[in-house]
């Protein structure tokens, strides 16, 4: 047997062994000394329910941001770079998601050359929401359309006691009359939106054996304090838990053609002043918290490589998800800054 044939014969198993031992095996041991809770899904059928969940979600976000660093494991540290990105993770050992195997992550970094208002407007736009969650379609032309990927608005409420109640801030919040509002969103997708697999292809069709994704979330927008959250909920006519790892699997209204995802995301923005000492022009500090129990693509990768789907997903969330977001935001607003300078 020739040298190249022999090399090709062993190349694939060797490559798979390297990927497994260096990328997919370690996540199963990450953050093993950390503990904590994560709020599960709540039933939402009216405005009062939505406000109750929003209050609980905001309190949970503050609690997670205030947790000491010694209960979080360092996953990614680019504090010496311009974005100063630091990513941490901890396990969920209490509550309904304790058996999911998914890590909850938090990140802090700087987006240079942009104000909190500008950055918040972008992140809560369809383009920004797509950046935060590539696996769902937030395009304007997808809303309320009965197509393969649809985003349906089930309800909108004023988020009372947040922001400037009832205030008309058209320059900050052009789509609604409140500076703080709540939305119930239903999303489904027959495509997977990902740049980790095929960077130049926006839509990746699901393979025949893959199930369609489906989720229902309560989204909160506080334009005054620059706080945003997205939390999976249970609503009438969709009364089965969204989590694939829920302790009590759905027994009613279960569609074998779909898999329901669960998501928790919190973000807040604060201004960063220019610094002559560090030669920076200022910007915005973006802090994020994220938990996602959705193993559609990464679960398949984990199955092929012989590791748990949660390990594959945890690697993606800690080493790819945040750097991609912060780097894209940095490049986007640096380009806008240069264009403004040219016009002066």
């Amino acid at each position: 047997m020739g040298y190249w044939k022999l090399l090709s014969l062993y190349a694939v198993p060797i490559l798979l062994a390297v990927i497994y031992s260096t990328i997919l095996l370690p996540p199963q041991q990450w953050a093993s000394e950390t503990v904590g809770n994560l709020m599960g899904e709540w039933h939402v059928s009216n405005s009062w329910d939505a406000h109750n969940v929003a209050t609980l979600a905001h309190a949970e976000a503050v609690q997670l941001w205030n947790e000491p660093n010694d209960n979080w494991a360092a996953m990614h540290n680019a504090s010496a770079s311009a974005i100063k990105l630091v990513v941490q993770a901890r396990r969920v050992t209490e509550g309904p998601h304790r058996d999911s195997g998914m890590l909850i992550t938090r990140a802090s970094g700087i987006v240079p050359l942009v104000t909190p208002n500008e950055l918040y407007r972008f992140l809560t736009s369809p383009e920004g929401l797509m950046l935060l969650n590539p696996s769902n379609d937030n395009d304007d032309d997808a809303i309320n359309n009965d197509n393969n990927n649809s985003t349906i608005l089930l309800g909108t409420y004023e988020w009372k006691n947040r922001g400037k109640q009832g205030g008309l801030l058209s320059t900050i919040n052009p789509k609604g009359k409140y500076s703080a509002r709540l939305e119930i969103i239903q999303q489904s997708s027959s495509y997977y939106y990902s740049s980790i697999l095929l960077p130049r292809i926006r839509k990746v069709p699901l393979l025949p054996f893959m199930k369609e994704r489906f989720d229902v979330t309560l989204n909160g927008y506080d334009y005054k304090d620059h706080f945003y959250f997205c939390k999976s909920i249970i609503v009438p006519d969709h009364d089965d838990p969204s989590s694939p790892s829920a302790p009590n699997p759905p027994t009613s209204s279960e569609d074998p053609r779909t898999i329901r995802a669960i998501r928790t995301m919190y973000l807040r923005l604060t201004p960063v002043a220019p610094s002559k000492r560090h030669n920076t022009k200022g910007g915005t500090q973006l802090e994020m918290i994220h938990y996602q129990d959705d193993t559609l693509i990464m679960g398949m990768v984990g199955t092929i490589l012989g590791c748990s789907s949660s390990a594959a997903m945890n690697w993606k969330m800690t080493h790819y998800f945040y750097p991609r977001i912060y780097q894209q935001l940095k490049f986007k607003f640096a380009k806008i800054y240069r264009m403004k300078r040219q016009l002066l």
Side-chain angles (χ1 to χ4, degrees):
M1 184 179 291
Y3 172 78
W4 290 109
K5 289 184 178 180
L6 184 64
L7 180 63
S8 62
L9 180 64
Y10 289 101
V12 173
I14 291 175
L15 178 61
L16 292 178
V18 170
I19 294 176
Y20 178 77
S21 60
T22 61
I23 296 179
L24 298 175
L25 183 61
Q28 301 183 55
Q29 306 300 324
W30 284 345
S32 58
E33 302 298 322
T34 62
V35 296
N37 191 14
L38 182 67
M39 185 174 70
E41 297 175 282
W42 288 75
H43 289 268
V44 175
S45 58
N46 52 45
S47 173
W48 189 93
D49 292 339
H51 283 88
N52 182 48
V53 174
T55 300
L56 293 172
H58 183 266
E60 179 177 66
V62 173
Q63 177 185 346
L64 290 170
W65 274 312
N66 291 339
E67 279 188 10
N69 288 329
D70 57 11
N71 192 42
W72 292 75
M75 294 286 103
H76 179 89
N77 192 331
S79 57
S81 66
I83 58 176
K84 303 185 184 303
L85 176 61
V86 175
V87 179
Q88 300 171 305
R90 76 154 168 80
R91 293 184 178 270
V92 180
T93 58
E94 305 169 13
H97 309 309
R98 62 185 178 274
D99 297 325
S100 69
M102 300 295 180
L103 298 175
I104 182 171
T105 57
R106 71 179 183 184
S108 177
I110 305 296
V111 183
L113 308 174
V114 62
T115 67
N117 278 348
E118 293 170 329
L119 181 56
Y120 193 86
R121 286 201 303 269
F122 171 74
L123 289 174
T124 55
S125 69
E127 183 183 357
L129 293 173
M130 179 72 76
L131 176 65
L132 296 175
N133 181 21
S135 58
N136 273 338
D137 193 345
N138 292 289
D139 286 347
D140 286 332
D141 59 3
I143 296 178
N144 290 324
N145 286 343
D146 185 15
N147 54 18
N148 287 332
N149 288 58
S150 60
T151 300
I152 302 175
L153 181 63
L154 300 181
T156 302
Y157 310 103
E158 177 186 3
W159 192 357
K160 296 179 180 179
N161 301 321
R162 297 294 306 172
K164 183 180 178 182
Q165 184 174 341
L168 180 62
L169 300 178
S170 59
T171 58
I172 296 179
N173 181 12
K175 290 190 175 182
K177 66 178 181 179
Y178 306 122
S179 59
R181 75 180 192 276
L182 302 172
E183 291 181 348
I184 298 178
I185 299 293
Q186 171 187 304
Q187 292 181 313
S188 60
S189 175
S190 296
Y191 291 90
Y192 186 74
Y193 291 76
S194 176
S195 55
I196 189 172
L197 296 176
L198 302 170
R200 297 183 180 275
I201 300 179
R202 184 167 172 270
K203 288 185 178 182
V204 182
L206 300 186
L207 298 177
F209 60 86
M210 294 181 181
K211 295 181 179 181
E212 180 182 347
R213 299 179 67 260
F214 177 85
D215 60 356
V216 180
T217 60
L218 177 68
N219 297 355
Y221 306 82
D222 184 343
Y223 291 84
K224 179 176 179 292
D225 292 338
H226 305 117
F227 172 76
Y228 166 83
F229 79 86
C230 173
K231 191 80 175 177
S232 293
I233 59 173
I234 306 170
V235 298
D237 300 325
H238 303 95
D239 55 355
D240 47 325
S242 297
S243 173
S245 58
N248 297 313
T251 56
S252 63
S253 65
E254 184 182 71
D255 187 345
R257 298 169 301 173
T258 64
I259 183 171
R260 301 196 65 183
I262 190 167
R263 181 174 298 105
T264 291
M265 177 180 286
Y266 302 122
L267 64 84
R268 65 180 178 183
L269 285 66
T270 52
V272 176
S275 172
K276 292 184 178 179
R277 178 182 177 184
H278 297 95
N279 193 28
T280 60
K281 296 181 173 62
T284 296
Q285 182 181 22
L286 171 61
E287 297 174 274
M288 297 182 63
I289 292 171
H290 191 252
Y291 173 90
Q292 186 171 344
D293 190 350
D294 172 16
T295 58
L296 181 65
I297 295 296
M298 298 308 291
M300 180 183 66
V301 174
T303 300
I304 293 173
L305 297 177
C307 72
S308 67
S309 57
S310 60
M313 191 69 179
N314 287 334
W315 181 90
K316 173 188 173 183
M317 298 310 302
T318 54
H319 287 75
Y320 172 77
F321 178 76
Y322 291 110
R324 175 186 63 87
I325 289 177
Y326 282 81
Q327 288 291 349
Q328 289 192 26
L329 290 174
K330 172 191 171 184
F331 293 143
K332 177 180 179 64
F333 287 100
K335 181 179 180 179
I336 294 175
Y337 179 80
R338 290 194 299 268
M339 293 174 61
K340 289 181 178 179
R341 290 291 300 269
Q342 292 174 358
L343 295 175
L344 295 179

